[in-house]
């Protein structure tokens, strides 16, 4: 059963078109990846799902149309978002940054904090530390944790491995799998790191200059020429 359905979604920044009739579906309880080079439209796709861009087409979550809804309403319906650039408050503590994400799920604060500390023990150890003093990997953990504070059923994560060491990438992959397996979350990631996406996702969608050019199981796409073309132009 599809939890998220995107039907002929186009996105615009002024007169410039960034997405061109993108269609895909995401099954409940799965991890899917959207991969592509820098500028392919990956962040725009997630922003559009969250109601942050001007769009045409349709986005449905759990069978209900959310196209045109305000971002706060989309979050309250059960979609969490961890953007690429973190968008953390650098001079606020880890704990306060996490609490910012709880504004639509205030009754779940204690339960969600406990779950996040279980996933990321370092955040429990450093909850009074300002995020400006943390490593890139720790800030990514805070970003993911803040998205989880909204009690989502679907988690969108933009470029979770960008700028991170391989060891930290493995930690992030483990957390995303646990979110699916232990917390029954559905996860959508965007990635420039194709190897990371192929190792983690159950289905991979290849985005090139705002258009979906291929999709399939990782084992089917690993040697697909369209994947190479999306990254390297050949």
């Amino acid at each position: 059963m599809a939890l998220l359905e995107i039907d002929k979604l186009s996105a615009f920044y002024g007169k410039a078109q960034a997405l061109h009739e993108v269609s895909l579906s995401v099954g409940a309880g799965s991890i899917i990846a959207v991969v592509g080079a820098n500028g392919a439209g990956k962040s725009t796709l997630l922003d559009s799902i969250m109601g942050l861009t001007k769009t045409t087409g349709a986005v449905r979550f759990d069978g209900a149309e959310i196209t045109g809804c305000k971002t706060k309403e989309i979050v309250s319906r059960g979609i969490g978002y961890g953007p690429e650039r973190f968008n953390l408050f650098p001079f606020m503590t880890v704990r306060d940054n996490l609490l910012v994400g709880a504004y639509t799920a205030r009754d779940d604060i204690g339960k969600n904090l406990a779950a996040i500390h279980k996933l990321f023990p370092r955040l429990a150890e450093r909850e009074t530390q300002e995020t400006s003093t943390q490593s890139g990997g720790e800030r990514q953990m805070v970003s993911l944790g803040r998205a989880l504070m909204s009690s989502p059923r679907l988690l969108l994560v933009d470029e979770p491995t960008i700028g991170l060491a391989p060891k930290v990438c493995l930690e992030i992959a483990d957390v995303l799998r646990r979110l699916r397996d232990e917390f029954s979350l559905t996860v959508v990631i965007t990635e420039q790191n194709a190897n990371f996406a192929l190792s983690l996702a159950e289905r991979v969608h290849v985005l090139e200059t705002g258009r979906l050019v291929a999709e399939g199981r990782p084992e089917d796409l690993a040697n697909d020429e369209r994947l190479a073309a999306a990254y390297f132009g050949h």
Side-chain angles (χ1 to χ4, degrees):
M1 176 183 173
L3 182 64
L4 177 71
E5 297 175 280
I6 298 171
D7 185 23
K8 295 183 178 179
L9 184 67
S10 296
F12 303 85
Y13 295 108
K15 295 182 179 180
Q17 187 168 354
L19 293 179
H20 301 265
E21 295 194 345
V22 171
S23 296
L24 60 87
S25 64
V26 182
S30 65
I31 299 176
I32 75 127
V34 178
V35 302
N38 188 37
K42 303 184 302 298
S43 297
T44 299
L45 176 61
L46 299 191
D47 285 349
S48 298
I49 294 169
M50 298 302 299
L52 296 170
T53 61
K54 179 183 176 182
T55 61
T56 61
V59 180
R60 290 180 288 274
F61 177 63
D62 200 17
E65 183 97 16
I66 60 171
T67 315
C69 291
K70 294 185 180 299
T71 302
K72 180 180 179 180
E73 182 181 350
I74 293 170
V75 172
S76 67
R77 289 191 183 205
I79 302 181
Y81 187 22
E84 173 195 345
R85 291 165 297 279
F86 308 131
N87 290 335
L88 302 178
F89 295 96
F91 303 111
M92 287 171 54
T93 65
V94 168
R95 180 182 175 85
D96 287 343
N97 267 281
L98 292 176
L99 291 176
V100 167
Y103 70 98
T104 61
R106 292 185 175 92
D107 292 342
D108 296 338
I109 286 176
K111 177 189 72 175
N112 288 340
L113 277 175
I116 290 162
H117 290 163
K118 182 179 177 182
L119 286 166
F120 302 114
R122 266 177 284 180
L123 299 188
E125 297 166 3
R126 303 176 186 182
E127 66 175 359
T128 61
Q129 183 178 353
E130 292 183 356
T131 58
S132 62
T133 65
Q134 293 187 297
S135 68
E138 289 169 342
R139 291 197 299 273
Q140 183 61 272
M141 294 173 190
V142 177
S143 179
L144 286 171
R146 187 173 67 180
L148 294 171
M149 288 296 292
S150 65
S151 299
R153 297 166 56 203
L154 170 67
L155 180 65
L156 310 179
V157 189
D158 196 16
E159 302 275 15
T161 68
I162 191 166
L164 301 184
K167 180 181 178 181
V168 181
C169 292
L170 292 175
E171 291 180 31
I172 297 297
D174 179 62
V175 165
L176 294 174
R177 290 190 188 97
R178 289 178 62 192
L179 289 174
R180 176 195 61 196
D181 298 339
E182 299 176 22
F183 296 86
S184 300
L185 259 67
T186 303
V187 181
V188 176
I189 66 167
T190 66
E191 264 297 339
Q192 289 187 53
N193 184 340
N195 289 328
F196 178 86
L198 291 169
S199 70
L200 178 66
E202 295 150 49
R203 289 192 68 82
V204 176
H205 302 260
V206 183
L207 196 62
E208 181 180 7
T209 59
R211 293 176 171 86
L212 278 181
V213 297
E215 63 177 285
R217 297 178 302 173
E219 56 267 31
D220 296 330
L221 288 178
N223 298 308
D224 193 305
E225 292 182 355
R226 293 169 296 180
L227 185 59
Y231 281 95
F232 310 117
H234 58 74

